């Protein structure tokens, strides 16, 4: 039978080890090169005429993960949270990067706009975890309608200009 003192010592060492590991991982920082602060000529706002209200919604709800201009929250400095955010941003930009939207072919732009429209409709974007931590990403029904209509109209205008 293991005595209470041995169990206490083991628990103490486990806790101490976890604290040391937590402190050590703070020095392994993810890449934060996603803060250009510049609006590229290929940005969707330079490629298409976006009304201010729609652009404001897009910037507040989408640009952190889908552009080259991420506003990192304070908790992104705490690992492993920072690593998870970096992975979400990498995945988000791989799906669509609004900073480089103008460099896509017309066909790809149409496809991406249709995909965004559908994801807003079915509520899969912004991601639920992002919405939970970012109040501005919790889109109202009216905001969703504005974005969906703008994406649809823009997609239709691209289709007509083929």
């Amino acid at each position: 039978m293991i005595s209470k003192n041995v169990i206490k010592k083991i628990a103490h060492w486990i806790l101490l080890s976890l604290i040391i590991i937590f402190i050590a991982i703070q020095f392994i920082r993810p890449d934060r090169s996603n803060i250009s602060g510049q609006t590229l000529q290929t940005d969707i706002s330079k490629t298409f005429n976006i009304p201010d209200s729609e652009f404001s919604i897009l910037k507040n709800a989408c640009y952190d993960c889908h552009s080259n201009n991420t506003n990192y929250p304070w908790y992104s400095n705490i690992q492993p949270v920072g690593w998870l955010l970096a992975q979400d941003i990498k995945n988000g930009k791989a799906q669509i990067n609004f900073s480089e939207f103008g460099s896509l072919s017309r066909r790809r732009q149409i496809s991406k706009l249709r995909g965004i429209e559908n994801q807003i409709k079915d509520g899969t974007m912004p991601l639920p975890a992002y919405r939970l931590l970012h109040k501005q990403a919790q889109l109202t029904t009216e905001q969703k309608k504005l974005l969906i209509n703008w994406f649809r109209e823009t997609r239709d205008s691209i289709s007509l200009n083929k």
Side-chain angles (χ1 to χ4, degrees), residues 44-51 150 154:
I44 194 167
S45 64
K46 301 278 186 179
T47 308
F48 300 104
N49 184 21
I50 305 177
W150 184 82
T154 303

Side-chain angles (χ1 to χ4, degrees), residues 28-125:
I28 305 169
R29 318 270 310 163
D31 178 30
R32 285 184 138 198
S33 60
N34 203 34
I35 312 173
S36 75
Q38 299 175 349
T39 303
L40 302 175
Q41 285 303 314
T42 55
D43 192 274
I44 194 167
S45 64
K46 301 278 186 179
T47 308
F48 300 104
N49 184 21
I50 305 177
D52 289 343
S53 55
E54 283 85 342
F55 187 56
S56 176
I57 298 167
L58 201 61
K59 279 192 96 164
N60 290 329
C62 309
Y63 263 50
D64 280 346
C65 293
H66 297 286
S67 78
N68 293 341
N69 294 302
T70 299
N71 290 317
Y72 288 94
W74 64 268
Y75 52 83
S76 68
N77 293 311
I78 301 170
Q79 308 316 322
V81 175
W83 300 337
L84 297 172
L85 286 174
Q87 189 61 44
D88 281 350
I89 292 166
K90 182 179 175 184
N91 291 341
K93 285 176 60 176
Q95 293 300 314
I96 186 156
N97 184 344
F98 289 118
S99 296
E100 299 171 2
F101 194 82
S103 64
L104 299 174
S105 69
R106 294 287 181 194
R107 185 175 170 186
R108 264 324 254 153
Q109 289 176 345
I110 292 168
S111 173
K112 292 291 183 185
L113 291 173
R114 182 177 295 116
I116 296 166
E117 188 182 320
N118 289 334
Q119 289 182 320
I120 293 171
K121 277 182 192 170
D122 64 20
T124 55
M125 276 291 158

